[in-house]
Amino acid sequence: MDYYPLFLNLKGQACLVVGGGEIAFRKSQSLLKAGAHVTLVAPDITPELRQLISDEKITYISKCFIPEYLAAKRLVIAATNDSTLNRLISAKADEENILVNVPDDLKSCRFIVPAIIDRSPLIIAVSSGGTAPLLARLLRQKLETMIPASYGDLAKFAAHFRDQVKNKLSILTARRRFWEGIFEGPIANRVLNGQITFAENEFRQALALHVKDEGTKTGEVFIIGAGPGDPELLTLKALRLMQQSDIVFYDNLASPDVLNLVRRDAIRVSVAKKKNKHKMAQTEINSAMIEHAKAGKRVCRLKGGDPFIFGRGGEEVEALIDAEVSFQIVPGITAASGCTTYAGIPLTHRDHADTVTFVTGHKKDNGKLDIDFEHLAKDRQTIVFYMGLGNLPEISDRLQFHGLASDTPAAAIEQGTYAHQRVLCSTLKNLTSDTEGFDFQSPTLIVIGKVVSLADKLHWFGSPPIKGKCNLASDHLQDKTSLEFIPRFNTA
Ligand code: SAH
């Protein structure tokens, strides 16, 4: 973040605007709106500014700028048509610790002015940090159409009841829950429709009811599939529940961009392995979720992909049921679906694959890959290995041993659905050495089957697929020895 966003209270504060043109007029007007005392310095001014002066709204000094005019000012805007003078004003103001802005000269600004949507007392500010003001303005236009003008009335309505609610509901989470119910429910609609008296009566009833219920209320756990990485792949339900959560337990597959969408003031707990710290065991995660839910919190368990696909979601839900904690489960786009789609690999295709199988490539505690390879090694299907990168040599060898052709197209997708995703297209035989050669790291998804050959044509996202060695089927046909298969594992 390059700038610290803040809203400044300028009521009764002395501010200086230097310049006599249209920009100086606009800036003076917005400062006046915020209740500031504006002094304008400029030898010549526009008729609009003259009007402001004759209405006695601003103080006018009909001279050129001198540093003495900065005395006792909180904020200054240098808006003359002389960029050298603007820079000089900026430097002097900065020396005096006065906040300074020079329109269209980012380097000379101590603060920048956002595009705003004014629904006072509700104000929404949008800024591109000075990089693309037009983009910020476009965004503002979009938001303008989404936020009814009467939202200001809703904010005033809430302000009226704020202290009452605070007195009756002393616990922050209880208050938050109450207000969320109000803002998302029929009472807010009443206010937006101008039915204030109805709204006030219903509000009082709702508050009394909430106070009565609060003591008996327990929390809830949301087991949420966060998808493979791209935050736009979240479901609407996932987003809604993430926005309601008080605490979130996330693992390392939940992308930072997704995590950013959890409610800002929610507590964030990583359950992933970290430097000098062991990762939270499944039983510890279960106990922590239960403990917080029983304390009345809304707990978000944010999991990569889909919670029920190699995600231990089932185990977590069992623990919640045993502990009599209520829960909701939100499916997510699993890696097999998200990563292959973003790699241009259709999981099924009429010409290539009628079946798709999701397999874990993770070894059990006894160190064995407990997979029915004989059953898997069939044509006209797509096999997707999760957690398969580390055991790729064995996966590849055993599939070939059971008869799957060495030149079956195979791909590795690293960090799928992220802008920096890498897709490597190779063959069953060569995928291991190719992933090693290109230093593929976790998370990587392995896809085996003829559909992989479509990636070249259907590629649409990120960089084009990387070609592994002997990627082309013709290479194999010329090099018969490459079809010979020598198992590296013990077949006895
Ligand atoms: N529940 C998750 C899977 C968890 S297992 C889901 O439904 O997607 C973790 C494995 O998923 C990783 O080892 C990797 O094989 C795969 N994976 C998850 N996200 C991925 C991503 N963005 N890119 C590539 N592989 C991913």
Side-chain angles (χ1 to χ4, degrees):
M1 194 157 76
D2 289 331
Y3 289 88
Y4 184 76
L6 55 82
F7 288 94
L8 210 56
N9 179 357
L10 284 179
K11 282 201 180 59
Q13 301 295 305
C15 298
L16 185 73
V17 175
V18 189
E22 197 201 324
I23 299 176
F25 173 68
R26 273 194 281 117
K27 300 291 174 187
S28 303
Q29 266 195 324
S30 53
L31 287 172
L32 286 174
K33 253 184 154 180
H37 284 161
V38 179
T39 301
L40 183 88
V41 175
D44 302 307
I45 55 173
T46 60
E48 288 97 334
L49 277 169
R50 199 164 295 289
Q51 187 62 49
L52 279 186
I53 295 156
S54 56
D55 291 349
E56 295 187 0
K57 294 219 168 107
I58 58 178
T59 311
Y60 178 45
I61 303 174
S62 175
K63 293 208 170 110
C64 290
F65 171 82
I66 49 167
E68 282 68 22
Y69 296 147
L70 289 173
K73 300 291 185 298
R74 274 267 183 223
L75 180 148
V76 55
I77 294 176
T80 74
N81 51 11
D82 177 348
S83 53
T84 316
L85 175 62
N86 288 343
R87 276 200 293 275
L88 180 119
I89 297 168
S90 158
K92 288 277 174 213
D94 222 25
E95 264 171 36
E96 305 285 327
N97 280 331
I98 300 168
L99 290 173
V100 58
N101 172 272
V102 182
D104 288 332
D105 181 359
L106 201 57
K107 280 199 188 123
S108 304
C109 290
R110 180 56 54 192
F111 72 94
I112 52 175
V113 183
I116 64 158
I117 298 132
D118 190 356
R119 302 282 185 269
S120 283
L122 190 77
I123 300 171
I124 299 163
V126 182
S127 170
S128 65
T131 54
L134 213 75
L135 184 67
R137 250 172 264 155
L138 272 174
L139 247 173
R140 183 195 57 186
Q141 272 168 24
K142 277 195 181 175
L143 290 170
E144 283 275 10
T145 58
M146 285 165 61
I147 300 165
S150 44
Y151 258 57
D153 296 338
L154 190 56
K156 280 182 209 143
F157 180 85
H160 178 66
F161 284 105
R162 195 161 177 239
D163 286 342
Q164 247 182 72
V165 173
K166 210 168 178 179
N167 290 339
K168 294 231 160 101
L169 297 168
S170 56
I171 299 166
L172 179 70
T173 47
R175 279 205 298 277
R176 190 185 287 152
R177 213 171 288 176
F178 173 74
W179 279 118
E180 279 168 7
I182 295 295
F183 290 138
E184 285 169 9
I187 295 178
N189 286 332
R190 286 256 196 235
V191 178
L192 295 177
N193 293 333
Q195 299 169 301
I196 304 294
T197 317
F198 278 121
E200 283 179 348
N201 289 337
E202 285 168 15
F203 187 93
R204 287 191 193 97
Q205 285 166 19
L207 182 58
L209 206 70
H210 199 87
V211 172
K212 207 166 124 229
D213 281 359
E214 197 48 42
T216 56
K217 229 176 215 162
T218 59
E220 195 179 5
V221 176
F222 312 133
I223 309 251
I224 297 179
D230 181 349
E232 286 198 78
L233 295 180
L234 276 176
T235 60
L236 296 177
K237 190 164 192 169
L239 188 62
R240 182 167 60 78
L241 295 184
M242 281 158 67
Q243 287 284 319
Q244 290 178 8
S245 303
D246 302 308
I247 180 164
V248 53
F249 292 93
Y250 64 96
D251 44 45
N252 53 2
L253 276 181
S255 80
D257 286 343
V258 169
L259 205 58
N260 262 337
L261 297 173
V262 174
R263 218 214 359 250
R264 240 175 211 289
D265 50 357
I267 300 165
R268 288 155 165 77
V269 183
S270 165
V271 301
K273 213 174 198 154
K274 277 211 206 109
K275 250 191 192 164
N276 307 327
K277 262 185 142 185
H278 81 114
K279 91 180 202 193
M280 263 170 103
Q282 190 59 55
T283 47
E284 287 180 90
I285 299 172
N286 296 350
S287 313
M289 288 194 301
I290 291 165
E291 191 188 313
H292 281 94
K294 288 205 160 164
K297 298 250 163 44
R298 279 176 298 192
V299 180
C300 168
R301 175 70 179 105
L302 196 62
K303 302 172 83 76
D306 182 275
F308 278 4
I309 295 180
F310 306 127
R312 294 186 141 198
E315 293 165 48
E316 293 180 358
V317 172
E318 270 182 275
L320 296 174
I321 291 173
D322 290 347
E324 297 181 348
V325 166
S326 49
F327 60 86
Q328 295 185 50
I329 311 168
V330 185
I333 292 186
T334 190
S337 176
C339 301
T340 54
T341 300
Y342 275 51
I345 301 172
L347 285 175
T348 66
H349 190 285
R350 280 200 298 173
D351 297 338
H352 305 295
D354 311 309
T355 335
V356 52
T357 312
F358 298 171
V359 191
T360 168
H362 188 65
K363 288 194 173 168
K364 289 250 167 80
D365 293 341
N366 59 13
K368 269 193 168 168
L369 261 185
D370 215 356
I371 297 167
D372 181 356
F373 280 102
E374 187 176 357
H375 177 80
L376 272 185
K378 299 262 166 17
D379 212 7
R380 286 199 63 83
Q381 69 161 330
T382 308
I383 319 170
V384 181
F385 278 94
Y386 289 70
M387 299 171 276
L389 187 65
N391 296 317
L392 195 51
E394 184 174 341
I395 290 169
S396 159
D397 282 1
R398 290 178 71 176
L399 283 172
Q400 289 175 78
F401 177 76
H402 286 288
L404 201 61
S406 328
D407 61 354
T408 304
I413 307 167
E414 179 192 63
Q415 302 264 356
T417 78
Y418 289 88
H420 54 270
Q421 78 171 19
R422 290 198 295 166
V423 181
L424 168 70
C425 290
S426 179
T427 60
L428 181 57
K429 185 182 174 200
N430 292 323
L431 191 62
T432 302
S433 56
D434 283 335
T435 48
E436 282 166 10
F438 287 99
D439 193 26
F440 267 50
Q441 302 288 330
S442 181
T444 287
L445 193 79
I446 307 295
V447 189
I448 299 165
K450 293 224 173 73
V451 287
V452 168
S453 60
L454 296 166
D456 255 345
K457 191 170 173 192
L458 303 193
H459 145 77
W460 64 276
F461 179 81
S463 308
I466 306 166
K467 298 257 170 58
K469 64 181 172 201
C470 294
N471 181 51
L472 301 167
S474 55
D475 289 352
H476 283 269
L477 296 178
Q478 280 152 22
D479 173 14
K480 294 283 179 211
T481 55
S482 72
L483 292 176
E484 258 174 53
F485 168 65
I486 306 149
R488 269 172 286 183
F489 64 98
N490 186 1
T491 56

